[in-house]
């Protein structure tokens, strides 16, 4: 949702040549000071503690990777992030497609729903799923009333609940970039494919999918990496026995006060996140990453 | 064929079905909250056995909820002003400066947006412990400013890049001083970017919960922190009432943004 | 009396000399155009006068006083830009009022001046429109009104018509000419379009590689180009390779590649006997007649192509050594049957129409 301005202009030819190198740093300084003091230093300090506390060395990393508990947390994190990514691609692609071609009223309506959902307070949305998924919640009660199940399904306080809630939250981040990708395709390409003798299925697999592959990949990487570090939804919809990485970091700090190990876990999360962003930057550029 | 809705054949049925399903998936939870906030059942029965404004009354009579609401609003308001101001200056430097490392600096400013918030939350919590800033208004403002600033910089830089700089030059040739030209011509020219920056900065602070959970003290809790704390205990319908108000606020801000966009086109 | 004096200004960007020792004197009320290909230094020179660039060397004096120390906003110079630079958030009237408002003029005077300026560009009824509601041509007219609102002694125009289509361009050219006559403002105009330059200006300064190649009235540049660049840039020209056999004073004898000789052609630029040169003749100054009719000196050629382009014929001929020569002949002066392909003809011209440029 970016609000755009005035007609696009190329950089001024009048002044371009007059620019001298090394100008214009001063106005950036307040922002730079803020980011360095309130972002760079604290984060580096946290990461440093992972190799300094309780004593200098890599024992925190050794402990992290030796513990089956922590490895299971890492496994859970990847499992949930992977499932959410696949689910958002499968659901998001048809929706993005629909948005690109459906009659204006319907596509606008659905688009408004997607945007509204994206910007609705995260806690409000998570609350809705807590209500829906609880033992005596609407979903379980409805299923029991129509006789599909006799016992309430365990939908909350486990990874099922987390996955359902996170898919809900991540869907807009998949739909919006995919929508932009599909809209940028010239419809005449499919008329050409049709004249060349391609069936709908062939046109889909041989033309549409290749043309949207980069959009799908960009959206998938973004959803995956956002899911990896998510905290609120897992904390409220998940259970204590099946944590994700972000929850673990929080718990290490809040309950166990183990700053060294928390720093190590944070670094693991950071490295994975940045590595995936590097892949994204390398192949798709930053602009597309944000949709 | 594939991009022509009318000629999609049997695929159209599948597409409509999925769109309907996902539309419901995205919309129904929001409608559910709104319905429950007016429902009379303490245990969130659906459909509600009756209708009531009881939860809103409870909400507005509870000084703690009111205090949280005001706290969140004050923090978000201060963050918005600072974020737009600092972001405006930074954007001028980033789009017009000629110093080395401009791109690296831009990337640095945007990093807080892509980093997992929990890492920043834990890091700031530790840092603010030493500075005794946890649980303070100033601490909240600083932390939320880091989250909000990238939105400001993106919105304002985009607007500045689209703004034809010759227009500012023309104002100077007309006799305006460089500062006067910026205030009278460039700022109105990028006003939509400034409005976007303000809206997004406000929402970034207003909705921020992870950092706030770590930093909050019993005396200073933002709205999201109080919601989170309440949710960990029970699913009170009062939360449905709060959520409904938040949804209304979001929808209002979105309508505002849409209005300004339309205004720009006419 | 000299109104604007540009003396020996230069501008270097890094190691590149964009403007190299340019001098120019302009009298009040004159319309002078800087013409030249892109990168020739014409715009850079204009920007130095406007105050966007600081000259590396030299001086600019307006009414005898150097203006280089003043910033752009204190020079009191009007300028119209290449792109429409109207303030998008202000109405047409407010755009025109802007320079007066920043000068803190009284409201009554501003209102009067805005009305006067909009009348000058004939946009009175558009006062309350926003720039986005105007066509490109109207926007440039408002920009012109804005630039003149504070009675600047000097108006700079930086390719103001390049964003408009051909028909609008001609329309606004007339408008600019009328406004120049009406206001008597001194105008410095930059363009790469020679027709625009010829139709608008009192004098043209033709720029090439950071220098003024030739300065003069348009007709002078066309009829008496001093360098091969000027001859090539203004109007169409044929250049025939030849070698100089004798040069003396301003004239020379030459030998053509087929061995033919021509004597006493006016020579421009240093060239000694034996040097290669280019014989320049405008296509509309060339004539041809069937071989054997009369014995005028000239060049023998074969007719290879003839196209009727309305009013004139465009005829292409090949010389004995394979060079092609263009000729333009009014349709009234030739019969179609005289334009048979393969006809052997002799090209000839009036003595004053050929010019020789040393290489």
């Amino acid at each position: 949702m970016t609000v755009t301005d005035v007609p696009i202009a190329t950089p001024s030819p009048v002044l371009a040549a007059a620019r001298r190198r090394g100008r214009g740093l001063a106005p950036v300084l307040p922002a730079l000071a803020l980011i360095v003091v309130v972002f760079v230093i604290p984060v580096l300090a946290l990461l440093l503690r992972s190799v300094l506390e309780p004593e200098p060395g890599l024992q925190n990393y050794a402990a992290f990777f030796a513990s089956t508990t922590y490895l299971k947390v890492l496994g859970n994190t990847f499992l949930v992030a992977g499932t959410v990514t696949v689910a958002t691609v499968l659901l998001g692609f048809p929706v993005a497609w629909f948005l690109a071609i459906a009659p204006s009223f319907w596509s606008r309506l659905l688009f408004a729903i997607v945007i509204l959902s994206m910007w609705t307070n995260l806690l409000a949305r998570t609350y809705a799923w807590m209500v829906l998924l609880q033992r005596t919640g609407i979903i379980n009660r409805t299923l029991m009333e129509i006789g599909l199940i006799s016992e309430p399904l365990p939908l909350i306080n486990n990874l099922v609940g987390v996955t359902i809630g996170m898919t809900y939250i991540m869907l807009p981040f998949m739909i919006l970039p995919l929508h932009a990708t599909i809209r940028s395709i010239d419809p005449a390409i499919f008329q050409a494919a049709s004249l060349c003798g391609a069936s709908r299925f062939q046109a889909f697999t041989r033309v549409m999918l290749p043309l949207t592959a980069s959009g799908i990949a960009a959206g998938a990487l973004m959803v995956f990496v956002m899911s990896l570090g998510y905290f609120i939804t897992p904390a409220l919809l998940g259970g204590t026995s099946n944590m994700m990485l972000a929850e673990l970091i929080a718990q290490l700090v809040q309950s166990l006060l183990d700053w060294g190990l928390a720093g190590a876990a944070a670094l693991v999360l950071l490295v994975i996140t940045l590595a995936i962003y590097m892949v994204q930057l390398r192949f798709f550029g930053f602009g597309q990453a944000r949709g | 064929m594939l991009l022509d809705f009318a000629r999609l054949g049997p695929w159209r049925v599948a597409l409509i079905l999925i769109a309907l399903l996902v539309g419901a998936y995205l919309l129904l939870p929001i409608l559910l909250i709104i319905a429950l906030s007016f429902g009379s059942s303490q245990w969130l029965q659906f459909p509600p056995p009756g209708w009531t404004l009881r939860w809103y009354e409870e909400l507005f009579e509870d000084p703690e909820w009111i205090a949280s609401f005001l706290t969140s609003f004050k923090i978000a308001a201060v963050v918005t002003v600072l974020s737009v101001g600092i972001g405006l200056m930074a954007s001028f430097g980033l789009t017009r400066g000629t110093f080395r490392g401009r791109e690296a600096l831009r990337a640095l400013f945007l990093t807080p947006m892509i980093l997992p918030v929990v890492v920043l939350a834990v890091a700031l919590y530790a840092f603010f412990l030493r500075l005794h800033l946890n649980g303070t208004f100033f601490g909240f403002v600083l932390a939320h400013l880091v989250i909000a600033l990238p939105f400001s910089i993106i919105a304002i830089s985009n607007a500045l890049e689209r703004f034809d700089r010759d227009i500012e030059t023309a104002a100077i040739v007309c006799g305006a001083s460089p500062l006067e030209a910026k205030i009278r011509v460039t700022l109105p020219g990028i006003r939509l970017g400034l409005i976007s920056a303000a809206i997004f900065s406000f929402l970034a602070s207003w909705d921020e919960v992870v950092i706030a959970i770590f930093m909050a003290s019993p005396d200073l809790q933002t709205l999201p922190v109080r919601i989170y704390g309440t949710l960990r205990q029970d699913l009170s319908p009062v939360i449905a009432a709060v959520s409904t108000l938040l949804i209304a606020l979001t929808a209002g801000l979105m309508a505002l943004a849409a209005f300004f966009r339309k205004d720009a086109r006419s | 009396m000299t109104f604007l004096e540009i003396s020996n200004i230069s501008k270097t960007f890094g190691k590149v000399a964009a403007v190299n020792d340019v001098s120019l004197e302009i009298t009040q009320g004159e319309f002078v155009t800087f013409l030249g290909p892109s990168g020739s230094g014409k715009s850079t020179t204009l920007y130095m006068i406007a105050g966007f660039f600081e000259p590396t060397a030299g001086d600019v004096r307006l009414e005898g006083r150097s203006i280089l120390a003043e910033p752009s906003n204190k020079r009191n110079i009007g300028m119209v830009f290449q792109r429409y630079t109207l303030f998008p958030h202000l109405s047409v009237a407010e755009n025109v009022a802007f320079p007066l408002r920043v000068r803190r003029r009284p409201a009554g005077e501003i209102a009067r001046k805005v009305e006067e300026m909009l009348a000058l560009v004939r946009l009175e009824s558009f006062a309350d429109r926003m720039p986005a509601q105007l066509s490109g041509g109207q926007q440039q007219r408002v920009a012109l009104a804005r630039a003149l609102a504070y009675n600047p002694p000097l108006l700079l125009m930086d390719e103001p018509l390049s964003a408009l289509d051909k028909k609008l361009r001609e329309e606004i050219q007339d408008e600019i000419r009328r406004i120049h006559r009406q206001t008597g403002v001194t105008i410095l105009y930059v363009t790469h379009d020679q027709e625009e330059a010829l139709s608008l200006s009192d004098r043209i300064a033709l720029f090439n590689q950071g220098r003024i190649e030739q300065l003069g009235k348009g007709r002078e540049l066309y009829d008496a180009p001093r360098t091969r660049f000027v001859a090539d840039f203004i109007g169409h020209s044929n250049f025939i390779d030849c070698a100089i056999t004798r040069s003396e004073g301003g004239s020379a004898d030459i030998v053509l590649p087929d061995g033919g000789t021509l004597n006493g052609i006016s020579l421009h630029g240093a060239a000694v006997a034996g040097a290669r040169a280019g014989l320049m003749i405008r296509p509309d100054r060339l004539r041809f007649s069937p071989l054997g009719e009369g014995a005028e000196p000239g060049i023998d050629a074969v007719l290879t192509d003839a196209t009727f382009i309305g009013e004139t014929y465009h005829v292409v001929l090949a010389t004995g050594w394979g060079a092609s020569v263009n000729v333009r002949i009014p349709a009234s002066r030739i019969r179609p049957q005289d334009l048979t392909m393969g006809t052997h003809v002799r090209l000839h011209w009036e003595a004053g129409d050929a010019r020789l440029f040393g290489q």
Side-chain angles (χ1 to χ4, degrees), chain A residues 113-180:
Chain A
I113 292 174
V114 172
I115 298 283
L116 178 72
S117 146
M118 183 163 100
W119 285 100
T120 293
N121 186 287
L122 177 67
L123 286 167
R125 288 181 286 165
T126 308
Y127 168 74
W129 284 103
M130 291 171 82
V131 173
L132 281 165
L133 296 175
Q134 63 179 323
R135 250 183 93 80
T136 57
I138 297 166
I139 292 178
N140 268 324
R141 217 174 304 160
T142 312
L143 289 178
M144 272 158 72
E145 264 168 35
I146 59 176
L148 226 56
I149 52 171
S150 52
E151 286 280 297
L153 291 173
L155 294 173
I156 199 168
N157 297 333
N158 55 31
L159 292 183
V160 177
V162 175
T163 308
I164 293 176
M166 297 251 303
T167 303
Y168 174 79
I169 281 154
M170 293 298 164
L171 250 176
F173 294 104
M174 180 63 82
I175 293 173
L176 294 181
L178 268 182
H179 171 62

Side-chain angles (χ1 to χ4, degrees), chain B residues 160-187:
Chain B
L160 263 182
E161 265 157 26
R162 284 159 190 269
F163 181 76
D164 186 348
R165 204 175 164 185
D166 279 358
I167 294 177
E168 190 178 309
T169 311
I172 292 174
V173 174
C174 280
S177 72
L179 182 67
E180 199 177 4
K182 279 189 182 68
I183 292 170
R184 298 183 72 144
V185 172
T186 310
L187 289 191

Side-chain angles (χ1 to χ4, degrees), chain B residues 163-178 180-181 183-186 188-189 191 265-266, chain C residues 50 52 72-74 76-79 81 83-90 98-99 101-104 132 146 150:
Chain B
F163 181 76
D164 186 348
R165 204 175 164 185
D166 279 358
I167 294 177
E168 190 178 309
T169 311
I172 292 174
V173 174
C174 280
S177 72
E180 199 177 4
I183 292 170
R184 298 183 72 144
V185 172
T186 310
R191 68 188 182 284
R265 268 190 235 115
S266 68
Chain C
F52 305 152
S72 292
N73 54 322
K74 304 281 185 213
N76 206 33
I77 286 174
M79 181 153 178
F81 292 76
R83 292 195 297 257
Y84 321 128
T85 54
L86 296 188
F87 309 131
H89 62 295
L90 298 179
F98 183 90
R101 293 212 189 283
V102 298
R103 284 173 171 76
R104 318 263 183 266
R146 183 180 68 186
Y150 43 107

Side-chain angles (χ1 to χ4, degrees), chain B residues 15-81:
Chain B
L15 216 54
I16 292 175
L17 224 67
I18 297 176
L20 216 63
L21 219 68
V22 173
Y25 178 49
L26 290 178
L27 185 62
L28 289 185
I30 295 174
L31 295 183
L32 175 81
I33 299 170
I34 299 174
L36 289 178
S37 76
F38 295 106
S40 59
S41 163
Q42 170 88 57
W43 291 277
L44 302 165
Q45 237 175 297
F46 194 88
W51 304 99
T52 176
L53 286 177
R54 192 181 135 200
W55 315 118
Y56 288 91
E57 282 162 18
E58 268 186 36
L59 180 67
F60 287 118
E61 279 162 16
D62 185 339
E64 292 204 322
W65 278 111
I66 301 293
S68 291
F69 189 91
L70 288 178
T71 302
S72 271
F73 186 83
K74 280 186 219 157
I75 293 172
V78 174
V79 166
T80 302
V81 171

Side-chain angles (χ1 to χ4, degrees), chain C residues 116-273:
Chain C
E116 181 194 328
M117 283 300 126
L118 289 180
L120 180 69
V121 297
R122 299 198 249 226
L123 286 172
E124 299 97 319
S125 54
F126 291 81
D128 296 326
R129 297 270 188 101
M130 297 305 282
Q133 297 168 292
L134 302 182
S135 71
Q138 290 167 336
Q139 291 197 44
Q140 279 309 53
R141 276 150 70 193
V142 177
L144 197 55
R146 183 180 68 186
L148 292 171
Y150 43 107
N151 297 328
L154 178 65
L155 177 64
L156 308 179
M157 303 184 85
D158 181 20
E159 309 217 17
L161 308 182
S162 59
L164 306 175
D165 62 42
K166 191 170 167 14
K167 197 166 169 295
L168 264 174
R169 258 205 312 268
E170 283 165 8
E171 211 176 292
I172 308 244
Q173 273 181 36
D174 293 342
E175 202 76 359
I176 292 173
R177 242 197 317 264
R178 180 179 60 79
I179 288 167
H180 179 234
R181 267 200 313 272
Q182 228 166 305
T183 60
V185 65
T186 310
I187 296 182
L188 266 184
Y189 190 101
V190 165
T191 182
H192 60 263
D193 183 323
Q194 53 160 312
E195 274 181 45
E196 215 170 286
L198 290 167
S199 78
L200 285 172
S201 353
D202 298 323
R203 283 193 299 160
I204 296 173
L206 183 58
F207 276 72
N208 184 34
Q209 296 181 340
R211 294 171 178 278
I212 293 181
E213 194 90 8
Q214 188 169 350
L215 171 70
K217 293 186 191 306
R219 188 65 199 255
E220 286 169 23
L221 265 60
Y222 184 83
D223 285 340
R226 275 211 293 268
T227 66
R228 180 169 176 149
F229 176 83
V230 179
D232 202 19
F233 197 87
I234 308 269
H236 300 277
S237 297
N238 291 297
F239 288 99
I240 297 161
D241 285 332
C242 57
I244 292 170
T245 52
R246 186 193 64 88
S247 94
E248 194 180 313
S251 93
D253 300 342
I254 56 166
V255 58
L256 295 165
D258 67 351
T261 58
L262 295 162
N263 299 331
I265 298 166
S266 82
L267 173 68
H268 300 267
V272 293

